[in-house]
Amino acid sequence: MLGERFGNVFVGVQPAFGYEGDPMRLLFEKGFAPTHAFSAFYRWLREDFGAHAVLHFGTHGALEFMPGKQTGLTPACWPDRLIGDLPNLYLYASNNPSEGTIAKRRAAATLVSYLTPPVAQAGLYKGLVDLKALLERYRGLDPEGHGEARELASMIQAQAATLELASAEPAWDDSAPQRIAALADAVLELEYTLIPHGLHVVGRAPSAAQRVDLLLALAQASHGASPPRECVSALVAGASPEALAAAARGPGAPRLLASCDQCPDGRGP
């Protein structure tokens, strides 16, 4: 068994469940059976280790996708044959309720939801930062600076090729303005792509800064809105939208709201 025992707790890795070259095939073939390793893993947990309960950690494993009926499983269905009467607790991502329902229906799982990591804009790094600087220099050139434009276009193409965003040959020449404009759009898209900000730790809430980044990202991605960061920070700290709107209307008050419809909860003052 691939794992480690800590007193009366065994931490193991669920074996691979598919077939080489087509790992998902098993999930859609009613007449197939789990691999020997997969079957032996659950038999060992039940009979040799003598587990009182099983905790499946993370989204998601393969037990609930084993061959058998979709509803009203019988002892002939592989999820039932494998888990038996072991209590099955399942730490499951809160953003995947559809497959979580399958785990409940086909593996008798009790779900314990956990948050997904907060998201943030990816930003740029290393060579991408240099490429953006070159693009900005190109955009700021004097319209009459043809010689410098050609030199910069060559540098931009070389840097983009290094980053696998363009081919090194042939030289762009007359098509440079169009190619550079498309490249600038691609770099901008990379910079503002939303990515997970680290990993979620079960039982630990995201920090205030992470929550602010997440709400700003959601406002932009879902509604095309860009509320001021100080507005969202105040909301995270516990201020109500109504209080922020009132403060924004006060004389000499800081610009807490750019407009009523940018409030993250969708309510205006």
Side-chain angles (χ1 to χ4, degrees):
M1 295 300 116
L2 183 59
E4 187 65 48
R5 187 166 181 167
F6 302 91
N8 62 347
V9 175
F10 173 75
V11 179
V13 179
Q14 189 181 68
F17 57 89
Y19 292 85
E20 186 175 354
D22 191 3
M24 300 298 289
R25 182 180 177 190
L26 177 62
L27 306 188
F28 305 102
E29 294 284 354
K30 295 181 179 179
F32 278 20
T35 60
H36 289 96
F38 199 94
S39 300
F41 180 76
Y42 283 93
R43 190 208 60 78
W44 182 86
L45 288 176
R46 293 193 320 269
E47 300 177 17
D48 296 345
F49 180 67
H52 293 159
V54 174
L55 170 62
H56 286 94
F57 194 103
T59 308
H60 54 70
L63 173 67
E64 61 270 26
F65 294 103
M66 289 295 107
K69 297 171 64 177
Q70 291 300 310
T71 57
L73 274 67
T74 70
C77 299
W78 278 104
D80 258 20
R81 295 175 70 175
L82 293 168
I83 196 68
D85 59 358
L86 278 178
N88 182 15
L89 308 175
Y90 211 147
L91 277 169
Y92 216 89
S94 58
N95 69 334
N96 195 359
S98 58
E99 292 185 329
T101 301
I102 295 174
K104 294 173 67 175
R105 187 179 70 237
R106 301 194 76 239
T110 297
L111 300 190
V112 180
S113 297
Y114 64 86
L115 292 173
T116 55
V119 296
Q121 292 175 345
L124 301 177
Y125 61 94
K126 296 184 180 178
L128 287 169
V129 174
D130 298 335
L131 178 59
K132 182 181 179 182
L134 289 173
L135 291 168
E136 289 177 345
R137 278 181 59 192
Y138 185 90
R139 188 171 55 187
L141 286 177
D142 189 302
E144 303 300 322
H146 300 299
E148 188 178 0
R150 283 194 296 271
E151 182 180 351
L152 263 180
S154 178
M155 295 170 62
I156 289 170
Q157 182 178 4
Q159 181 68 11
T162 301
L163 298 169
E164 299 183 355
L165 294 176
S167 57
E169 298 290 343
W172 288 347
D173 297 330
D174 293 340
S175 64
Q178 294 80 15
R179 290 178 179 271
I180 289 174
L183 184 61
D185 290 341
V187 170
L188 189 66
E189 182 178 355
L190 284 173
E191 183 174 7
Y192 289 100
T193 296
L194 298 180
I195 59 172
H197 191 275
L199 295 174
H200 174 67
V201 179
V202 175
R204 182 188 301 172
S207 67
Q210 289 175 332
R211 281 178 278 168
V212 170
D213 287 341
L214 175 61
L215 290 173
L216 287 170
L218 288 174
Q220 179 61 46
S222 301
H223 304 289
S226 300
R229 188 177 184 88
E230 58 266 30
C231 163
V232 179
S233 296
L235 288 172
V236 168
S240 69
E242 292 79 9
L244 288 176
R249 286 195 296 266
R255 186 177 64 89
L256 292 179
L257 292 174
S259 65
C260 299
D261 61 357
Q262 286 188 333
C263 191
D265 74 342
R267 290 182 292 170

